[in-house]
Amino acid sequence: LKMAKFSKKDIIINNLKLHSEAFGKPSNPACILIAGKMSTARFWTDTFCQYIADQGFFTIRYDHRDVGESSEIDWQNAPYAMSDLAKDATLVMDGYGIKKAHFVGDSMGGWICQRIGVDFPKRVLSLVIISAGAIEITEKSAIPFTKEEQETLDNTLKLFNSRKNGDSLEETVQNFLPIWRYSNAEIILDEEMAKNFTIDFLTRTKNKNFMNHELMMQEFLSSRKKSNSLQKIDVPTLVIHGDKDPIVLPRDGKAVADAISKSSLVMIKGMGHTIFNKDLEEKIAKLVIEHLKKASKDLKH
């Protein structure tokens, strides 16, 4: 495997700094990778980014505000919403002089992708939405939870709330592992991948404001309404979801695919919410490339 090489760029607009990292040739079509809640740019591993870049796409990952090396926000004075995080993605594009891009989002990043598709349609070539629900209440998502679904969500919450910070970095990282193991569902957890992600998050996020993502997400989820905005998305969209996702239920992935007309849904057997497994990561990378290449070909016709 070639060693991944990337360049770093801090994009600063009106006191907001967004730290970004780019792989591949700037002359290639752009692919913007958007991480999930409380995840840094490097949720997308060097291997993943390099693979996308080697397939002919200028690949950019970036730290959301409040994590990694991006700005820390004073929530009391300047709360932000999902639509602001969607705008952040376009600011990253502006920083590189990119007009249009393919967007790949995981978890909260998948919700952000939908927002970008609705709010900034002229900037979108295609979308890949991984492990996310719909940004609005759809027919599918309005159906009450089954007993099993409710139990799963209760268990998830209980486990997440039980995590404690350790006295050392090593101990804190260890305390995250049961959560990652649970989130990975039936796919074997690659501990090294999970640890690398956790260490990067804990060491590059200097502030303690990453819980702002949680506040933003809770406000967003509780204020979702019935609307037909997803019908406005008119670009090729790939929805990838784990059939054992204990955090964003499989029905939520189906709801997204149902609401977007030009979408296809891939349910991955045994996959949970996280992708800490090299084979799974490779499988997703290949699905993404297949989608980007097909979308690029369709755009030419």
Side-chain angles (χ1 to χ4, degrees):
L1 207 68
K2 291 210 306 257
M3 266 308 287
K5 284 206 295 284
F6 58 87
S7 59
K8 299 179 179 186
K9 181 183 267 194
D10 286 340
I11 291 138
I12 299 168
I13 293 160
N14 302 337
N15 295 334
L16 175 70
K17 175 175 96 165
L18 295 166
H19 173 78
S20 69
E21 300 174 344
F23 297 72
K25 292 197 188 97
S27 54
N28 284 341
C31 175
I32 312 278
L33 303 176
I34 308 179
K37 180 180 79 179
M38 300 193 275
S39 293
T40 62
R42 295 183 197 165
F43 165 82
W44 308 102
T45 65
D46 291 1
T47 309
F48 185 92
C49 296
Q50 193 61 56
Y51 177 78
I52 307 280
D54 288 344
Q55 297 290 320
F57 295 89
F58 183 48
T59 306
I60 299 168
R61 62 185 179 188
Y62 66 96
D63 291 331
H64 293 295
R65 48 174 86 187
D66 277 325
V67 295
E69 295 164 59
S70 291
S71 285
E72 104 185 62
I73 309 294
D74 173 359
W75 183 266
Q76 279 354 92
N77 289 318
Y80 50 87
M82 191 69 79
S83 51
D84 296 308
L85 297 187
K87 190 163 194 290
D88 287 352
T90 68
L91 296 178
V92 170
M93 291 167 76
D94 295 344
Y96 285 89
I98 294 164
K99 297 265 187 294
K100 287 184 166 212
H102 299 277
F103 293 91
V104 180
D106 176 77
S107 193
M108 180 179 86
W111 271 289
I112 294 170
C113 278
Q114 295 167 63
R115 222 28 296 157
I116 295 167
V118 173
D119 296 350
F120 304 100
K122 288 190 165 62
R123 308 208 65 173
V124 184
L125 294 170
S126 79
L127 299 173
V128 180
I129 296 164
I130 307 169
S131 307
I135 55 171
E136 58 198 12
I137 293 170
T138 69
E139 243 170 85
K140 276 264 161 72
S141 65
I143 300 165
F145 293 130
T146 64
K147 193 164 153 284
E148 286 80 12
E149 286 175 330
Q150 192 57 60
E151 273 171 16
T152 299
L153 293 171
D154 292 344
N155 287 340
T156 300
L157 195 63
K158 212 165 101 184
L159 178 68
F160 277 51
N161 289 337
S162 70
R163 188 192 66 79
K164 304 249 185 302
N165 283 332
D167 294 331
S168 63
L169 178 65
E170 182 50 39
E171 200 182 322
T172 299
V173 170
Q174 284 299 331
N175 291 352
F176 268 104
L177 289 181
I179 288 181
W180 301 144
R181 195 166 284 114
Y182 173 83
S183 302
N184 241 46
E186 290 171 10
I187 306 277
I188 293 165
L189 179 79
D190 183 319
E191 280 200 10
E192 191 194 1
M193 280 178 87
K195 281 179 177 172
N196 287 344
F197 165 75
T198 313
I199 290 166
D200 175 75
F201 168 69
L202 293 168
T203 52
R204 279 198 317 118
T205 304
K206 298 287 180 268
N207 61 68
K208 292 287 172 273
N209 285 20
F210 53 83
M211 286 309 285
N212 288 350
H213 284 195
E214 187 60 51
L215 296 172
M216 191 282 304
M217 202 69 199
Q218 281 168 2
E219 283 190 11
F220 162 74
L221 289 171
S222 61
S223 63
R224 279 193 295 182
K225 292 179 182 66
K226 273 195 170 149
S227 79
N228 295 324
S229 60
L230 288 175
Q231 290 175 9
K232 293 181 192 151
I233 295 179
D234 192 33
V235 292
T237 300
L238 172 64
V239 178
I240 301 173
H241 215 94
D243 72 349
K244 295 284 184 280
D245 192 328
I247 297 172
V248 181
L249 298 172
R251 61 141 81 195
D252 293 314
K254 289 175 183 150
V256 177
D258 278 353
I260 298 173
S261 61
K262 292 183 179 172
S263 73
S264 55
L265 172 67
V266 177
M267 271 282 169
I268 298 182
K269 202 171 150 30
M271 171 176 151
H273 192 70
T274 42
I275 49 181
F276 296 129
N277 175 289
K278 290 195 172 69
D279 292 339
L280 178 61
E281 180 184 54
E282 189 180 331
K283 182 176 186 153
I284 289 174
K286 285 182 170 160
L287 286 168
V288 167
I289 282 300
E290 204 181 304
H291 171 76
L292 298 190
K293 289 190 165 169
K294 188 178 180 304
S296 303
K297 215 163 93 183
D298 293 348
L299 290 164
K300 287 198 180 87
H301 293 305

